């Protein structure tokens, strides 16, 4: 057991290093094969370390198998409903998702969530990451309503934990915006995007991959709403056109792009819309 713990600890230390401990991984594998009692806390630690090493090497198949063995070992000794167990389940769920095994990812991430609930650790960073992955998996399966429900729960957790004004908070708000836009609730989508933008601006994280994604979503929403407003105006839906164009203008004001081609187009369409509204009122008088 002491050898197992030593190898596991050394392997864990090398996971993020320049050499992810391939030799240690091989030695650990030999030890695993020689263990008579695989259902133990020591075996769970060893398998989890093996999984981390394999994952760091990009070997997702072996990583999945090792994480599953670690989960089985913890389940056997009754230590799965702990923070460490929840973290392990989250890692297994993440690897399933990376491999496109969405059914297994959903099942495992739900179990991780239950473990967080049982241990009172819903407000931890580990749980927030777990729930974000769960929402993403539901979205990938086409269940956008359930994904939105989970993202909304994450937002509430972040607010309660004082973590909404962080990069993680901006990420969940962006996801909520995406789901709201997919449901054609454009006002709520822009609200979420705008809040995410303000957070990233205040935390100086707009110049990041996630920040770029948010800006792309905002720009796409502005184009969509601008076009939608023009179409609704042509179809005679003046109220719908007004709402869409106002949201498009709000995004351009937020981004400082009213003087661009897209922003000017929105303003021109708003002017044309106002002329139509005035003409319609004149006819009814």
């Amino acid at each position: 057991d002491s050898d197992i713990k030593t190898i596991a600890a050394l392997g864990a230390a090398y996971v993020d290093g320049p050499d992810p401990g391939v030799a240690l991984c091989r030695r650990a594998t030999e030890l695993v094969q020689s263990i008579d009692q695989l259902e133990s806390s020591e075996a769970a630690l060893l398998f989890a370390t093996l999984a981390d090493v394999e994952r760091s090497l990009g070997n997702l198949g072996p990583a999945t198998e090792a994480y599953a063995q670690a989960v089985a070992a913890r389940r056997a000794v009754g230590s799965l409903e702990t923070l460490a167990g929840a973290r392990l389940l989250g890692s297994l769920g993440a690897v399933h998702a990376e491999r496109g095994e969405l059914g297994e990812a959903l099942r495992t991430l739900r179990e991780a969530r239950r473990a967080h609930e049982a241990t009172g650790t819903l407000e931890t960073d580990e749980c927030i990451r777990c729930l974000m992955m769960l929402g993403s998996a539901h979205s990938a399966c086409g269940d956008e309503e359930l994904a939105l429900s989970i993202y909304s729960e994450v937002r509430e957790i972040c607010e309660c934990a004082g973590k909404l004004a962080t990069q993680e908070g901006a990420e969940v708000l962006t996801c909520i915006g995406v789901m709201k836009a997919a449901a054609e609730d454009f006002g709520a989508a822009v609200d979420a995007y705008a809040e995410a933008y303000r957070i990233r601006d205040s935390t100086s994280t707009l110049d990041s991959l996630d920040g770029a994604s948010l800006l792309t979503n905002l720009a796409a929403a502005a184009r969509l709403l601008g076009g939608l407003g023009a179409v609704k105006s042509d179809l005679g839906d003046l109220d719908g056109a007004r709402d869409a164009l106002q949201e498009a203008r709000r995004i351009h004001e937020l981004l400082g792009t009213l003087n661009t081609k897209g922003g000017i187009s929105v303003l021109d369409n708003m002017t044309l819309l106002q002329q139509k509204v005035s003409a319609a009122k004149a006819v009814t008088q």
Side-chain angles (χ1 to χ4, degrees), residues 178-199:
V178 171
M179 294 298 101
K180 289 290 188 180
E184 298 187 3
D185 187 352
F186 296 116
V190 175
D191 285 342
Y193 285 146
E195 190 173 0
Y197 180 91
R198 286 191 290 271
I199 291 171

Side-chain angles (χ1 to χ4, degrees), residues 49-148:
T49 302
L50 279 169
D52 289 340
V53 172
E54 293 287 9
R55 190 178 181 188
S56 72
L57 291 169
N59 301 329
L60 298 184
T64 303
E65 182 180 351
Y67 279 132
Q69 289 173 308
V71 167
R74 278 194 172 274
R75 197 186 304 279
V77 298
S79 63
L80 197 55
E81 285 197 348
T82 61
L83 180 55
R87 186 182 298 117
L88 177 61
L89 287 164
S91 295
L92 176 57
V95 174
H96 277 309
E98 289 171 20
R99 298 182 71 192
E101 299 165 350
L102 296 178
E104 287 299 315
L106 287 171
R107 181 187 63 78
T108 307
L109 292 169
R110 288 191 191 110
E111 188 174 6
R113 173 182 177 165
R114 290 194 295 272
H116 280 295
E117 289 175 336
T119 55
T121 55
L122 282 174
E123 294 185 357
T124 61
D125 291 340
E126 289 88 351
C127 183
I128 290 172
R129 283 194 295 269
C130 171
L131 291 176
M132 289 295 291
M133 288 188 291
L134 184 57
S136 177
H138 278 298
S139 178
C141 289
D143 195 342
E144 294 170 345
E145 185 176 349
L146 190 50
L148 176 58

